[in-house]
Amino acid sequence: QESQRNMLGKLLCLAVVVCCLLPSDAESILNLRGSSSSPAPSMMRLRGGGIPLNPAAWFSGTKEEAKPAKKVPKIIIAGAPASGKGTQCEFIVKNFGVVHISTGDALRDQVKAGTELGKMAKEFMEKGALVPDEVIIGIVKDRLAAKDCQEKGWLLDGFPRTGVQAGAMAEAGIVAEKFILLNVPDDVLVERCVGRRSDPITGKIYHLKFNPPPEDEEVVARLVHRADDTEEAMVKRIEQYKKNVDAVKGYYKDITKEFDGVGDKMKLADSLATFIAE
């Protein structure tokens, strides 16, 4: 309404000015009437000469309507340990430019920054206790509200892990648009896990059989085999995953698509990209 009133006021002022105009000759009159043979003049002079007047300039200050916010991807990728989430996250980030977020990294960043959430998490970590869901959800929500996530979109890696966490995310207003689930047989998961090695310097994960590290003695020497990357530990982790995955899926059934996590990783990456872009 305010913009309409401003426009009406400008039209009234323009009408008054035009009434005071004295075209210099008959050709100007024709031009003012929109003669088909001559273009209408963009400039006119007030009676007696004076400063040229451009009627279009009256409207140059009109405010443009605000453009709608750019839609950005909001993705969750889930799967058992060693299902290939990390590898596919790299492809998704490369293809869509989203911010890759793991709760472990987000938690460590908060602790390092000394935030209130970080201090709360640190208390539990120093006691050797699990960080409560409400603290983790707070950290995730805070990270997703950051400028880079708002501008580029986000990719949550392996979170939420339980139905309780998924419900808490919904209550916190964290809404995903795509839920990717990677399915891999148990025996393949165990084989992938037992041969897995990580580089503490670069964060890269290798596999002695499927994705061997570079032939660099320095890199090979510093590779770490996690204590829980054993067959016995892996079986327990898979069982724990299976207890929770159905509850998590229940919160995202309308946006979920399941993929076979065995096979060519590039073909899988293409399938995920197609799903995300839909």
Side-chain angles (χ1 to χ4, degrees), residues 137-273:
I137 296 297
I139 290 174
V140 170
K141 186 176 181 179
D142 184 73
R143 183 66 186 90
L144 297 185
K147 183 179 180 181
D148 58 347
C149 290
Q150 294 295 309
E151 293 180 348
K152 300 178 181 179
W154 45 263
L155 169 63
L156 266 178
D157 182 357
F159 191 85
R161 294 185 178 89
T162 68
V164 173
Q165 291 175 344
M169 281 181 59
E171 291 179 4
I174 302 172
V175 180
E177 296 174 345
K178 302 287 181 179
F179 186 88
I180 296 167
L181 183 60
L182 303 181
N183 293 321
V184 177
D186 293 0
D187 59 329
V188 177
L189 291 172
V190 172
E191 185 180 13
R192 286 181 178 179
C193 184
V194 172
R196 189 163 57 181
R197 301 291 187 273
S198 59
D199 186 334
I201 303 298
T202 65
K204 275 191 163 297
I205 297 176
Y206 302 99
H207 191 279
L208 299 181
K209 179 180 178 181
F210 304 118
N211 181 32
E215 296 181 1
D216 184 320
E217 293 183 3
E218 184 179 348
V219 173
V220 173
R222 69 180 185 233
L223 295 181
V224 176
H225 186 207
R226 282 173 40 173
D228 57 352
D229 277 350
T230 63
E231 183 172 353
E232 182 180 0
M234 187 60 180
V235 169
K236 293 181 180 179
R237 292 168 68 191
I238 293 172
E239 290 176 352
Q240 188 66 32
Y241 165 77
K242 289 181 175 179
K243 287 180 181 178
N244 293 306
V245 65
D246 287 338
V248 174
K249 285 166 58 178
Y251 282 89
Y252 304 106
K253 56 186 178 182
D254 294 333
I255 60 170
T256 295
K257 189 166 184 177
E258 301 187 25
F259 296 86
D260 183 358
V262 180
D264 190 304
K265 62 183 181 182
M266 298 301 296
K267 290 182 178 179
L268 176 57
D270 289 341
S271 297
L272 299 189

Side-chain angles (χ1 to χ4, degrees), residues 101-113 115 117-119 121-122 125 130-132 135-136 139-140 143:
I101 299 170
S102 73
T103 52
D105 290 341
L107 191 154
R108 285 187 286 272
D109 289 343
Q110 292 271 359
V111 171
K112 185 177 180 180
T115 65
L117 287 168
K119 292 176 182 177
K122 188 177 181 180
M125 293 166 68
L130 292 174
V131 179
V135 176
I136 294 294
I139 290 174
V140 170
R143 183 66 186 90

